[in-house]
Amino acid sequence: MLRVAVVGSGPSGCYTAQSLVQQDPQVRVDVLDRLPCPYGLVRYGVAPDHEKIKSLQNNLRTVLEHERVRFLGGVPVGPGGVPAARLEELYHAVVYCVGAATDRHLGIPGEELPGSWSATEFVSWYSAHPDAVDDGFLREARSAVVIGVGNVAVDVTRMLARGVAELSPTDMPHAALTALAASRVTDIHMVGRRGPSQARFTTKELRELGTLPGTGIVVDPEELALDPAFPDPSALPAAQRRNVEVLRGWAGTPPAPEVHRRIRLRFFLRPVELLEQGGRVGAVRFERTVPDGSGGVRGTGRFEDVEAQLVLRSVGYRGVPLEGLPFDAATGTVPHSAGRVLREGAVAPGAYVAGWIKRGPTGVIGTNRPCAKETVTSLLEDAGELLRRDVPDDPLPALRAAGIEPVEWTGWRAIERAEADLGASLGRTVVKLPDWDSLLAAARRAEA
C-alpha cells in the first residue's frame, strides 16, 4: 500500500489528495498543515465578503473526509518541526504544496516606515490568520494608498471601504470588524504603474467597487487616455477590454455629494519613496510614467505626492526556500520535471511539488487541479520503485515521538463548533478564532 504525505491543505494540497485516491484504490494520504485549520488561502486569503468563493471549503472538506485521507494539522515541516528528510523516511512519497509564503517588496526608501504594510499582512489580520499581528493598521489613518492593480489590491481596497453592516454577517474576527467600523479613512487610492489595459484585476472584482454603499469612484480620464488602448479597446483580450470599458464609464463622473468615502483609481504612477511624517508614513511619492511602446513604461521625471497614513503594497507573492529541498531563487519555485523534484538536474526519488511552489503564484484556484493531476500522474508512474522502500504502517506514532501532537479532523470540527458558538455569543454568524491559543484550546477539548 502506497503511503503519501501531502504538505499543505489548501486547494493544491486537497486536489493532490483527491487525484491520488481517485487514481489509486489502495493509496493512503496524510494531508499535513502547519496550521490547525485546513483550506489554506481559501480560509485565510479569500475576502470574508466573498462567500461564494469561500464556499469552496465544502468541496475541499469532501476530500479531507475521504476514508483514505487523513488531516493532520499543527504539523510544521522544516525548522522547529519535522525535517523534510525525516518525513521522506516515514512515507513512500511526499508532495509539497506549500504555496508562496511571502510577498514581494517595492525596494524603495521609506518602505519600512510604520504604517507601511504588505497587503498580505492586512489580509491575514482581517482573515484571522493566527500569525497575524494587530498593530493598529487603521490608527490615525485618513488616507490610504494601495499599490497594485490586481485582485488582492481590489480586495483590500474594498475592505477599507466596506461598512460594518456589510461585514458583520461575515466570519471576520471581531477585533478587525470593530477596527474597520471605527475607521476614519475617507480616501483610498489604488495605484498602478502601468495603464488600465494592463491591470490584473478581473472585471467582476472591479465592478464590485462601484456597488459599495456610501462610496464613490474617482477616475481621471486624462490618466486613462495615456493608455494606447483607451480610445479603442476592441482589439484587447475580452477581460482587459471589459476592464477598460468599466473604467471609461466611471471616468470624469464626480461622486454623489452624499458619499463619505472615495476610491480613487490611479494609473501610470510608479512609487519611488514613502515620505515620513511624525515618525510614520505620511505620503507616497510617485513618478509619472508613460508607455514605452513595448508593453512597459518609462519614467518622465515628473513627481506627485499622495497623502497616506496607511500604505498597502500588493505587488505579488513569492515562494520561500524549504529546508532540505532545492530552490530556484530567480523564480521562487522548487526545480521539477512534471512535478518530480530535481536536485542538480537529477530526479530526487519520492519528492514532488504541486501548486505555487511548483509553478509560481499564477492562475486561479481551479488552475491547481490540472497542476495536481500532472504531479500525481508522475508519482503513480513511480509507484513501483517507491514501494520498494519500507515505511511505517502508520507514521503518526513516529510524529508523536518527535514531539508533534497533530490536530486531527475531530479537533478541526471542534474549532468549527467553537467559532459558531463565538458568533452566536456576539449576535453574528460564524466568527473566526483569531489566535493560536484559542484555536488549539478548542481543538484539544475535542481530543482530550
Side-chain angles (χ1 to χ4, degrees):
M1 179 188 299
L2 190 66
R3 285 200 167 274
V4 180
V6 172
V7 181
S9 65
S12 64
C14 287
Y15 292 148
T16 297
Q18 183 180 49
S19 189
L20 280 164
V21 295
Q22 286 177 344
Q23 295 188 52
D24 185 331
Q26 298 297 317
V27 68
R28 291 192 175 273
V29 183
D30 284 347
V31 178
L32 282 53
D33 203 294
R34 182 178 69 86
L35 300 176
C37 309
Y39 312 138
L41 282 180
V42 176
R43 176 175 168 90
Y44 288 122
V46 174
D49 61 339
H50 277 180
E51 295 182 3
K52 185 175 181 180
I53 303 175
K54 289 180 75 68
S55 68
L56 178 63
Q57 292 183 12
N58 296 326
N59 300 59
L60 304 184
R61 174 191 298 276
T62 301
V63 177
L64 295 175
E65 289 182 335
H66 190 281
E67 61 183 359
R68 288 183 284 118
V69 176
R70 177 170 60 178
F71 173 70
L72 300 176
V75 182
V77 176
V82 185
R86 178 58 174 153
L87 202 61
E88 291 171 19
E89 292 173 353
L90 297 175
Y91 294 89
H92 292 111
V94 180
V95 186
Y96 297 91
C97 305
V98 293
T102 190
D103 57 274
R104 295 182 182 274
H105 287 251
L106 298 170
I108 61 175
E111 189 169 7
E112 304 308 320
L113 282 170
S116 168
W117 304 86
S118 71
T120 306
E121 291 168 310
F122 189 62
V123 170
S124 293
W125 170 67
Y126 68 61
S127 298
H129 194 293
D131 291 339
V133 295
D134 181 1
D135 201 16
F137 287 97
L138 303 172
R139 189 179 301 134
E140 301 177 8
R142 303 177 304 278
S143 178
V145 166
V146 179
I147 298 173
V149 283
N151 277 347
V152 175
V154 175
D155 279 349
V156 298
T157 297
R158 194 177 65 254
M159 287 298 104
L160 287 168
R162 279 276 191 212
V164 65
E166 300 107 69
L167 293 176
S168 186
T170 73
D171 62 4
M172 178 178 284
H174 209 62
L177 177 66
T178 302
L180 285 165
S183 168
R184 294 187 297 155
V185 172
T186 57
D187 286 276
I188 307 155
H189 308 257
M190 189 170 75
V191 187
R193 63 185 177 87
R194 298 193 293 177
S197 69
Q198 296 166 309
R200 302 298 296 272
F201 43 62
T202 57
T203 309
K204 181 180 178 182
E205 293 253 354
L206 177 64
R207 284 187 177 131
E208 202 171 354
L209 294 178
T211 67
L212 302 177
T215 300
I217 304 292
V218 179
V219 182
D220 184 347
E222 291 186 9
E223 288 185 350
L224 298 187
L226 291 172
D227 192 323
F230 174 72
D232 180 13
S234 61
L236 291 171
Q240 285 83 0
R241 184 183 71 248
R242 289 192 293 265
N243 285 343
V244 172
E245 289 169 350
V246 170
L247 291 165
R248 287 174 64 161
W250 288 336
T253 303
E258 66 270 15
V259 303
H260 56 272
R261 284 196 179 98
R262 292 172 179 81
I263 295 173
R264 303 178 186 273
L265 301 176
R266 306 293 308 276
F267 298 95
F268 293 110
L269 290 172
R270 177 168 57 203
V272 294
E273 185 177 1
L274 271 55
L275 305 177
E276 182 268 341
Q277 183 177 350
R280 58 180 292 119
V281 66
V284 183
R285 177 161 294 165
F286 292 95
E287 181 182 16
R288 169 65 67 192
T289 63
V290 292
D292 64 3
S294 302
V297 292
R298 58 177 176 82
T300 62
R302 293 184 288 115
F303 298 90
E304 175 182 342
D305 294 349
V306 176
E307 179 191 354
Q309 297 79 36
L310 171 64
V311 176
L312 299 172
R313 66 177 183 273
S314 180
V315 291
Y317 293 96
R318 182 171 177 79
V320 297
L322 301 170
E323 184 184 54
L325 288 180
F327 187 72
D328 183 343
T331 61
T333 61
V334 171
H336 71 94
S337 174
R340 297 179 177 94
V341 171
L342 298 177
R343 296 184 192 275
E344 298 180 355
V347 170
Y352 302 84
V353 285
W356 279 0
I357 199 63
K358 172 186 174 185
R359 67 180 192 274
T362 60
V364 296
I365 290 175
T367 311
N368 290 292
R369 280 188 182 276
C371 174
K373 187 174 181 180
E374 178 189 58
T375 296
V376 168
T377 298
S378 295
L379 190 159
L380 294 179
E381 286 175 356
D382 301 340
E385 190 63 32
L386 297 173
L387 284 165
R388 294 177 183 273
R389 199 163 50 80
D390 289 333
V391 301
D393 288 338
D394 186 355
L396 194 51
L399 293 175
R400 287 181 170 142
I404 304 293
E405 199 54 54
V407 173
E408 298 189 61
W409 194 249
T410 53
W412 159 240
R413 295 303 305 272
I415 291 171
E416 288 188 306
R417 290 192 295 273
E419 292 183 337
D421 292 344
L422 176 60
S425 73
L426 295 169
R428 296 172 59 194
T429 53
V430 172
V431 173
K432 285 180 183 173
L433 298 174
D435 57 78
W436 280 97
D437 288 344
S438 57
L439 288 167
L440 292 176
R444 299 304 180 217
R445 280 196 296 269
E447 296 176 350

